[in-house]
């Protein structure tokens, strides 16, 4: 390396370090790897905007003789899916889902995997180009990792993009229990891919019988908790953006059975990449909803020029409910008069619900069994938000918002009761 290259590199590292700090603080993200983990010339990641995985931490790493070394620990984890709902799942490094692995194209990575589960496991690096013996399909590419043992994976990253990792041993059980994570590879030369905010959301689905804490791996159809980064709304951390920033959101789906059409309000965006790589600019297409099939990723990008608190959610309405929205009888249009009194003789306090629709059920304070959550919602600036599950909020504010901030609308820009004189002027009859 020439002296000039060295100077340029340390300048880039310094600038990257400042950026990392600013983003980390603004997003409430964990601190970047400690200075002790970094060697001049080896920590190429600092020259890239770090990816932010809401509700999830990044996996720490260190450089040993030029190789980026990680340690994943597969183990049982108690995890909160949403306020009031905890599960006894399986994850990595004390987390469900696992921490995000972040690296740079060209990195040599060595990933130790320790198995603290009661059964064997393996890790498949989904979408990553690597030698066949590192691909992680137990029985096909390697022996399964027995409980108590640590295996070593090592390969050089030949590509960049949005990828994932998950077991390929008893995957139906292990993925249903929460075992999955993101593997983000930044381009070596990031100039053509610059954004100001880089988010990643891992989509998954669960069956948690009401009142229990064990995910049910046997479920094939009726999932009742839908999550982004292992959290269901109102437990999802919002995406915080300053107005005018260019934003990338990496959407990754490792659900058991469901493809998710993810819809962003307030914007049209470009689909810029899949887990197969970048889409050339001439082939990128505009969308407001992008379907993310199981086992795929889609990167979307947009300029956040319109301020507000914008919904980002799966458009399948049954993926916007939590547990108690499932398996309920259809009462819409029924006349409950007389019924309530009869049932109250046996069940004091009984009240028929749902005969006028189900809006606002989240606010009725219906008692729910221990360790379970109501079907709908969280609190917003205008009252109850009647959505849950695979739902989060992109907060685009004139100055970078805090998680609890709500957009302050300019006067006259919020829908409100129509004034009488307007109705008269415009000839609208409401009777
Ligand atoms: Cu969905």
């Amino acid at each position: 390396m020439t002296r000039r290259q060295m100077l340029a590199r340390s300048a880039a590292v310094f600038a990257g370090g400042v950026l990392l700090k600013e983003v980390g603080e603004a997003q409430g993200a964990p601190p970047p790897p400690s200075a002790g983990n970094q060697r001049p010339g080896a920590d190429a990641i600092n020259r890239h905007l770090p990816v932010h995985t809401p509700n999830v931490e990044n996996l720490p790493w260190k450089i040993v003789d030029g190789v980026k070394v990680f340690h994943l620990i597969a183990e049982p984890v108690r995890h909160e899916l949403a306020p009031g709902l905890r599960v006894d799942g399986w994850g990595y490094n004390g987390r469900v889902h696992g921490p995000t692995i972040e690296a740079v194209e060209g990195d040599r990575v060595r990933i130790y995997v320790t198995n603290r589960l009661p059964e064997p496991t393996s890790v498949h690096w989904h979408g990553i180009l690597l030698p066949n013996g590192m691909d992680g399909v137990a029985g096909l590419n390697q022996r399964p990792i027995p409980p108590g043992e640590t295996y070593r994976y090592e390969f050089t990253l030949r590509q960049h993009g949005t990828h994932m990792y998950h077991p390929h041993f008893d995957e139906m059980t292990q993925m249903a229990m929460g075992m999955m994570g993101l593997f983000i590879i930044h381009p070596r030369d990031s100039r053509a891919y610059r954004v100001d905010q880089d988010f990643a959301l891992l989509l998954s689905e669960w069956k948690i019988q009401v009142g229990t804490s064990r995910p049910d791996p046997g479920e094939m159809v009726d999932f009742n908790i839908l999550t982004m980064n292992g959290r269901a709304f109102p437990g999802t951390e919002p995406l915080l953006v300053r107005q005018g920033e260019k934003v990338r959101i990496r959407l990754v789906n490792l659900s058991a059975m469901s493809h998710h059409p993810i819809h962003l309000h307030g914007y049209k965006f470009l689909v810029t990449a899949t887990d197969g790589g970048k889409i050339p600019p001439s082939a990128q297409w505009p969308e407001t909803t992008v379907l993310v099939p199981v086992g795929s990723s889609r990167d979307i990008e947009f300029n956040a020029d319109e301020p507000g608190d914008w919904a980002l959610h799966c458009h399948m309405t049954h993926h916007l409910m939590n547990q108690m929205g499932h398996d309920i009888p259809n009462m819409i249009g029924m006349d409950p008069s007389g019924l309530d009194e009869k049932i109250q003789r046996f069940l004091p306090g009984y009240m028929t619900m749902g005969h006028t629709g189900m809006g606002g059920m989240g606010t009725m304070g219906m008692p729910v069994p221990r360790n379970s959550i109501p079907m709908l919602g969280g609190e917003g600036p205008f009252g109850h938000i009647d959505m849950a599950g695979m739902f989060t909020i992109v907060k685009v504010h004139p100055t970078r918002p805090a998680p609890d901030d709500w957009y302050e609308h300019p006067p006259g820009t919020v829908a409100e009761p129509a004034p009488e004189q307007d109705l008269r002027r415009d000839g609208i009859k409401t009777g």
Side-chain angles (χ1 to χ4, degrees):
M1 185 187 288
T2 66
R3 183 180 153 75
R4 195 183 161 146
Q5 281 171 329
M6 208 153 101
L7 281 174
R9 179 165 282 190
S10 36
V13 166
F14 177 71
V18 170
L19 186 60
L20 194 71
K21 186 166 182 292
E22 185 190 313
V23 170
E25 282 175 2
Q27 297 290 353
S34 73
N37 281 347
Q38 298 173 16
R39 304 270 172 83
D43 52 342
I45 195 167
N46 274 1
R47 289 185 280 119
H48 302 264
L49 181 70
V51 69
H52 178 56
T53 318
N55 295 110
V56 173
E57 289 181 6
N58 282 9
L59 186 61
W61 47 269
K62 57 186 172 186
I63 300 289
V64 179
D65 297 333
V67 178
K68 196 172 274 183
V69 177
F70 299 87
H71 185 194
L72 270 182
I73 301 165
E75 59 189 353
V77 178
R78 189 147 171 81
H79 171 70
E80 187 185 72
L81 285 172
L85 178 62
R86 290 182 165 272
V87 288
D88 291 299
W90 291 352
Y92 297 96
N93 300 57
R95 307 193 66 85
V96 165
H97 304 304
T100 297
I101 296 175
E102 198 174 24
V104 179
E105 181 184 8
D107 280 351
R108 180 85 177 163
V109 297
R110 184 179 301 141
I111 308 171
Y112 292 97
V113 178
T114 297
N115 182 8
R116 293 187 187 155
L117 300 172
E119 71 166 351
T121 190
S122 72
V123 181
H124 166 58
W125 317 98
H126 184 121
I128 296 178
L129 308 174
L130 37 60
N132 185 250
M134 293 291 153
D135 198 44
V137 180
L140 178 65
N141 309 121
Q142 66 168 83
R143 293 181 196 283
I145 309 170
E149 291 203 14
T150 298
Y151 272 40
R152 187 194 68 203
Y153 295 86
E154 183 164 334
F155 43 91
T156 300
L157 302 174
R158 290 145 50 186
Q159 74 208 104
H160 58 88
T162 303
H163 303 287
M164 48 208 115
Y165 62 89
H166 62 78
H168 248 305
F169 175 91
D170 191 13
E171 42 283 90
M172 186 190 85
T173 300
Q174 298 194 359
M175 293 175 73
M177 293 288 278
M179 294 181 72
M180 57 188 74
L182 293 166
F183 198 136
I184 307 297
I185 310 173
H186 294 283
R188 180 137 291 272
D189 181 351
S190 65
R191 282 170 298 184
Y193 308 104
R194 278 265 143 79
V195 291
D196 302 305
Q197 293 285 344
D198 194 349
F199 298 103
L201 295 173
L202 177 54
L203 314 173
S204 65
E205 60 192 0
W206 309 73
K207 175 66 171 195
I208 320 278
Q209 296 286 359
V210 170
T212 72
S213 65
R214 280 278 173 209
D216 180 0
E219 181 58 56
M220 293 175 70
V221 181
D222 185 21
F223 299 92
N224 59 0
I225 299 285
L226 283 290
T227 55
M228 292 173 152
N229 292 337
R231 300 278 288 174
F233 189 77
T236 51
E237 178 189 316
L239 279 54
L240 307 176
V241 175
R242 190 176 62 232
Q243 185 180 357
E245 289 182 321
K246 186 174 183 188
V247 179
R248 174 185 300 132
I249 305 176
R250 303 166 186 262
L251 301 162
V252 182
N253 184 6
L254 281 176
S255 300
M257 299 294 289
S258 302
H259 314 304
H260 300 292
I262 301 295
H263 178 52
L264 173 64
H265 290 216
Y267 292 97
K268 54 182 179 176
F269 54 75
L270 289 174
V271 182
T272 58
T274 74
D275 41 337
K278 286 286 168 186
I279 300 169
S282 61
Q284 295 174 2
W285 69 98
E287 286 279 12
T288 69
T289 301
V290 60
L291 183 65
V292 190
V294 172
S296 302
S297 78
R298 298 285 182 268
D299 290 6
I300 65 170
E301 292 180 16
F302 60 97
N303 291 313
D305 45 16
E306 189 66 36
D309 296 321
W310 300 106
L312 174 68
H313 63 93
C314 179
H315 217 289
M316 295 209 184
T317 55
H318 280 248
H319 292 178
L320 292 172
M321 283 193 277
N322 287 333
Q323 280 176 310
M324 301 302 286
H326 290 250
D327 300 325
I328 51 178
N330 181 9
M331 308 289 270
I332 295 174
M334 112 176 235
D335 177 4
S337 52
L339 178 69
D340 286 6
E341 296 78 52
K342 281 181 193 151
I343 294 182
Q344 278 165 11
R345 284 182 222 146
F346 309 100
L347 286 173
Y350 172 84
M351 195 171 77
T352 299
M353 288 178 147
H355 55 288
T356 61
M358 297 183 209
M361 272 202 172
T363 63
M364 290 178 187
M366 278 191 300
V368 296
R370 199 166 59 85
N371 196 48
S372 58
I373 50 177
M375 61 186 279
L376 301 171
E379 288 311 305
F382 295 97
H384 195 73
I385 299 170
D386 259 357
M387 283 183 280
M390 201 171 273
F391 178 95
T392 191
I393 301 167
V394 181
K395 297 189 172 184
V396 180
H397 293 195
T399 56
R400 187 176 306 287
D404 293 336
D405 288 349
W406 296 108
Y407 178 57
E408 291 176 27
H409 303 80
T413 65
V414 174
E416 54 187 12
E420 267 304 319
Q421 65 269 28
D422 284 19
L423 293 170
R424 267 201 307 279
R425 178 195 64 210
D426 296 338
I428 305 295
K429 293 191 174 41
T430 60

